[in-house]
């Protein structure tokens, strides 16, 4: 009797909410998978590095060049570097910057790293700006950066404002949360978190981590 009552409730719920009782916490599994692949990476490379970054975080800014240099040093057939945005709520303009980066990536993947470097170089205009600078003002700045890498204002804003762009940024953030990533930059090498990491690591520090993995 109780079971039948439960079934009826579930059925009514499905009618009202227009969906079956899927797990509330289950996000759609992204497809294609998230992550910006650095400069023509080869997924068969023996060393996979995942970097979580916030483009408005000063430690991420300090840390990215070392790992980019290491990826360049070894090349895409040895190091496969994948970048994931991680929006940290205490940096102003963090989420919208990552949404802008995703819009750029969707428009042309060859511009993603260049745009990210512009974001890092200009943190003072976004996270470092005074409180009088609004999100709308920041979006104007983010649009200017997009024009700098070769897009028109119209095509950038259309992509930025597309609901899927915002959705994927949410999924990306939640995916990082799901893995217990709580700061940036954060590195995972061949599946293992690099606990020894410090943002002052340069290419030499990365080489001393990667060389022994190559046997
Ligand atoms: C993407 O940008 C590159 C230059 O970086 C250009 O050669 C290519 O045609 C662009 N692709 C598209 C789809 O616009």
């Amino acid at each position: 009797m109780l079971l039948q009552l439960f079934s009826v409730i579930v059925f009514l719920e499905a009618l009202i909410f227009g969906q079956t009782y899927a797990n509330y916490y289950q996000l759609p599994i992204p497809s294609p998978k998230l992550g910006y692949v650095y400069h023509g990476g080869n997924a068969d490379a023996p060393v996979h590095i995942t970097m979580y970054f916030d483009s408005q975080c000063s430690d991420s800014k300090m840390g990215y060049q070392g790992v980019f240099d290491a990826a360049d040093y070894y090349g895409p057939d040895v190091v496969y570097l994948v970048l994931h945005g991680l929006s940290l709520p205490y940096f102003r303009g963090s989420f919208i910057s990552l949404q802008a980066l995703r819009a750029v990536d969707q428009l042309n993947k060859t511009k993603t790293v260049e745009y990210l470097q512009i974001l890092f170089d200009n943190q003072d205009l976004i996270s470092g700006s005074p409180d009088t600078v609004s999100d709308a003002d920041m979006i104007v700045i983010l649009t200017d950066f997009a024009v700098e890498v070769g897009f028109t204002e119209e095509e950038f804003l259309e992509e930025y404002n597309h609901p899927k762009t915002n959705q994927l940024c949410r999924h990306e953030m939640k995916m990082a949360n799901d893995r217990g990533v709580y700061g940036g930059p954060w590195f995972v090498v061949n599946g293992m978190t690099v606990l020894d990491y410090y943002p002052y690591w340069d290419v030499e520090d990365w080489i001393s981590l990667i060389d022994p993995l190559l046997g």
Side-chain angles (χ1 to χ4, degrees), residues 107-111 114 149 151:
L107 286 168
N108 190 331
K109 291 190 188 317
T110 70
K111 307 283 187 181
E114 189 184 348
V149 299
F151 301 113

Side-chain angles (χ1 to χ4, degrees), residues 53-91:
F53 66 91
D54 184 331
S55 67
Q56 297 305 324
C57 153
S58 54
D59 286 343
S60 295
K61 176 181 177 166
M62 198 194 302
Y64 86 87
Q65 195 64 56
V67 76
F68 282 14
D69 288 347
D72 292 339
Y73 170 82
Y74 288 104
D77 292 332
V78 176
V79 168
Y80 182 67
L81 173 61
V82 179
L83 316 171
H84 286 277
L86 167 68
S87 178
L88 299 168
Y90 38 86
F91 293 116

Side-chain angles (χ1 to χ4, degrees), residues 49 59 61-70 185 187 189 194-210:
I49 303 179
D59 286 343
K61 176 181 177 166
M62 198 194 302
Y64 86 87
Q65 195 64 56
V67 76
F68 282 14
D69 288 347
F187 292 96
V189 175
V194 184
L195 293 176
D196 288 340
Y197 179 77
Y198 279 95
Y200 57 67
W201 272 23
D202 63 14
V203 64
E204 296 302 328
D205 296 295
W206 279 105
I207 287 171
S208 60
L209 182 141
I210 294 167

Side-chain angles (χ1 to χ4, degrees), residues 131-152:
D131 288 347
T132 48
V133 174
S134 67
D135 276 15
D137 297 330
M138 289 181 193
I139 290 167
V140 172
I141 296 167
L142 294 168
T143 305
D144 289 344
F145 296 160
V147 170
E148 211 176 300
V149 299
F151 301 113
T152 66

